[in-house]
Amino acid sequence: MEYSNGNVFQLVVKQGEPTLVPPAEETEKGLYFLSNLDQNIAVIVRTIYCFKSEEKGNENAGEVIKNALKKVLVHYYPLAGRLTISSEAKLIINCTGEGAVFVEAEANCALEEIGDITKPDPDTLGKLVYDIPGAKNILEMPPLVAQVTKFTCGGFALGLCMNHCMFDGIGAMEFVNSWGETARGLPLCVPPFIDRSILKARNPPKIEYPHQEFAEIKDKSSTNDLYKDEMLYSSFCFDSEMLEKIKMKAMEDGVLGKCTTFEGLSAFVWRARTKALKMLPDQQTKLLFAVDGRPKFKPPLPKGYFGNGIVLTNSMCQAGELLDRPLSHAVGLVQDAIKMVTDSYMRSAMDYFEATRVRPSLASTLLITTWSRLSFYTTDFGWGEPVLSGPVALPEKEVILFLSHGKERKSINVLLGLPALAMKTFQEMIQI
């Protein structure tokens, strides 16, 4: 962030000593099963929530949040354990009850001075989450690490470092909201459903679909060479008017009966990014995105399911076909990918992992992650809802993030990283 006098602002955060926060009561010990949907996405996700209240300062923010964490971990006890490898060479939680890692910190400025946190800025925002020193892999990182940073204005930030194998966006949102309810002395609105064995793979595995999400695509276009250039991270705001225009453009040739915001925007950015990365016409390109499987399983997953209920679906086509044909064609591909997700498809995907142990490939791929439907902005620890919340960084260069934006949540912020030259083309492509 630059000031008008040209001085670049430097956030300085003084971190205290990390402490362990175990559950407030004795909890179940032993090994805790993680499903194949959990195994697939064991990446660390860092998020930040900023709070500021006119009524009360931040003096006891750390204490309140830490005490509530002890209590909420009684319900979510696997988060107090540690990741390990099972006898089947898979990730599993050892419920040791040793606790989550908690750090209190102080910043040298007011909350407003850190700028726009809706845009990933690992250098600045990274100081608001605690990274375990010397951790070489996820097994050396506790599933939950929390940092409360107090600002000079009376506001504070809660920075969380969580392993995606513990939960997807919906599960994480339910956990953080439960933590907030506990801090306010309220019972849990959605108690967690702990048993993940309801998503065990079938024995023997039954693979019924050609799971292209795992397919490795050959990089004919030498896209990887582009990435040697400087990476730029940008966020583009699509307001309701622009989103409406995209949907109208997708519908104008009469091919589609309907088009949702997600379908239209996904197809739109898939095309723009493909063009920006100068993919050759015969280059295969893949779109991956997560679909919430909770309501699609038979029977549906129980309310409060603690774990990943999302399944990656995909669409593949040649870059030339994607760009030469109208937007309605790309939207149709997205719609087909959504329709593909049924109970049998999801169980087949879990069995595919069981049999092959391969993870989805990101070669020549765009992975869209949607946070625009998650109500992280409702979290309240007693200081009201967050004034800002967002991710610290994008997990991989192939990922684009959709975040809801504005008071009405009608706009969508599209966050992405591209090589500098490609970002210029992307910017031109999305003018509508």
Side-chain angles (χ1 to χ4, degrees):
M1 178 177 167
E2 288 194 20
Y3 284 132
S4 48
N5 61 8
N7 283 346
V8 176
F9 168 72
Q10 267 284 315
L11 172 67
V12 179
V13 173
K14 207 166 106 215
Q15 289 173 326
E17 281 299 309
T19 57
L20 283 175
V21 179
E25 297 162 24
E26 195 58 35
T27 52
E28 218 168 300
K29 300 291 184 282
L31 295 175
Y32 175 73
F33 170 82
L34 297 177
S35 83
N36 285 351
L37 297 184
D38 302 316
Q39 306 287 333
N40 256 339
I41 33 183
V43 295
I44 300 292
V45 182
R46 296 172 174 86
T47 45
I48 289 170
Y49 306 81
C50 298
F51 299 93
K52 191 173 176 187
S53 160
E54 296 305 316
E55 287 78 57
K56 62 180 189 178
N58 61 11
E59 303 76 36
N60 64 345
E63 193 187 336
V64 168
I65 288 175
K66 186 177 180 175
N67 288 338
L69 180 56
K70 284 180 190 163
K71 292 176 187 164
V72 82
L73 284 177
V74 174
H75 303 277
Y76 284 90
Y77 66 87
L79 286 173
R82 294 296 178 263
L83 269 175
T84 185
I85 302 292
S86 74
S87 55
E88 296 177 346
K90 284 189 190 173
L91 289 170
I92 195 164
I93 294 285
N94 185 9
C95 295
T96 55
E98 57 197 277
V101 173
F102 188 84
V103 177
E104 290 198 55
E106 288 186 6
N108 65 336
C109 64
L111 198 46
E112 296 73 42
E113 293 177 77
I114 59 171
D116 179 11
I117 81 154
T118 57
K119 192 169 161 183
D121 171 9
D123 292 342
T124 300
L125 302 180
K127 295 172 184 173
L128 302 178
V129 293
Y130 182 73
D131 284 321
I132 303 294
K136 290 183 282 300
N137 57 47
I138 56 167
L139 297 179
E140 295 178 11
M141 299 176 192
L144 171 63
V145 178
Q147 176 177 317
V148 171
T149 308
K150 296 177 185 176
F151 288 83
T152 54
C153 58
F156 68 92
L158 172 63
L160 297 180
C161 203
M162 301 195 280
N163 195 314
H164 208 312
C165 72
M166 295 313 287
F167 25 42
D168 54 21
I170 292 170
M173 179 186 79
E174 286 172 352
F175 164 67
V176 176
N177 285 345
S178 295
W179 187 357
E181 286 159 359
T182 306
R184 286 179 289 139
L186 301 172
L188 303 195
C189 211
V190 185
F193 180 90
I194 292 283
D195 181 14
R196 302 186 188 201
S197 65
I198 55 171
L199 289 187
K200 267 203 159 92
R202 292 170 292 198
N203 189 6
K206 206 165 125 196
I207 300 162
E208 301 168 286
Y209 297 83
H211 290 281
Q212 299 285 11
E213 64 270 32
F214 298 98
E216 191 76 47
I217 299 174
K218 197 164 179 271
D219 180 20
K220 286 183 178 178
S221 314
S222 309
T223 312
N224 282 335
D225 294 347
L226 279 178
Y227 279 104
K228 290 173 186 160
D229 189 10
E230 181 205 359
M231 282 288 280
L232 288 183
Y233 290 93
S234 286
S235 89
F236 299 95
C237 183
F238 287 79
D239 60 21
S240 48
E241 198 179 316
M242 287 166 82
L243 294 168
E244 212 42 58
K245 270 187 189 168
I246 290 172
K247 289 195 272 191
M248 280 165 68
K249 191 172 161 58
M251 304 274 290
E252 69 188 4
D253 56 8
V255 172
L256 303 171
K258 65 173 181 50
C259 173
T260 67
T261 298
F262 173 79
E263 292 160 0
L265 189 57
S266 297
F268 188 71
V269 299
W270 184 19
R271 292 176 84 213
R273 183 178 174 275
T274 302
K275 172 98 175 178
L277 289 173
K278 296 190 168 70
M279 288 190 188
L280 296 171
D282 64 344
Q283 169 73 58
Q284 279 283 0
T285 170
K286 179 166 61 176
L287 174 68
L288 284 180
F289 57 90
V291 172
D292 180 20
R294 284 168 173 74
K296 293 176 181 272
F297 276 108
K298 288 180 181 163
L301 293 185
K303 195 170 157 55
Y305 177 76
F306 170 47
N308 286 278
I310 54 170
V311 179
L312 283 177
T313 184
N314 72 91
S315 187
M316 270 173 73
C317 78
Q318 291 190 333
E321 179 194 334
L322 188 66
L323 296 172
D324 296 343
R325 297 184 63 176
L327 179 61
S328 59
H329 175 67
V331 172
L333 292 175
V334 175
Q335 291 178 341
D336 290 345
I338 295 170
K339 278 191 205 107
M340 196 157 69
V341 181
T342 57
D343 179 75
S344 66
Y345 174 85
M346 295 188 289
R347 294 192 186 277
S348 170
M350 291 192 285
D351 290 1
Y352 187 96
F353 180 83
E354 192 67 22
T356 63
R357 298 297 172 91
V358 293
R359 290 186 162 76
S361 163
L362 292 180
S364 301
T365 295
L366 164 59
L367 170 56
I368 293 179
T369 302
T370 313
W371 285 19
S372 49
R373 302 190 192 113
L374 301 176
S375 51
F376 279 116
Y377 50 85
T378 59
T379 302
D380 182 356
F381 288 91
W383 281 263
E385 292 177 358
V387 284
L388 286 168
S389 61
V392 169
L394 294 168
E396 304 278 351
K397 66 182 191 308
E398 295 84 2
V399 174
I400 287 186
L401 195 55
F402 290 178
L403 285 168
S404 59
H405 185 67
K407 274 279 168 275
E408 300 285 294
R409 313 266 152 208
K410 294 257 166 52
S411 307
I412 292 180
N413 254 348
V414 172
L415 273 46
L416 79 159
L418 279 174
L421 267 174
M423 188 63 88
K424 196 169 173 291
T425 313
F426 183 85
Q427 225 159 339
E428 288 158 10
M429 283 286 294
I430 60 169
Q431 302 308 319
I432 187 153

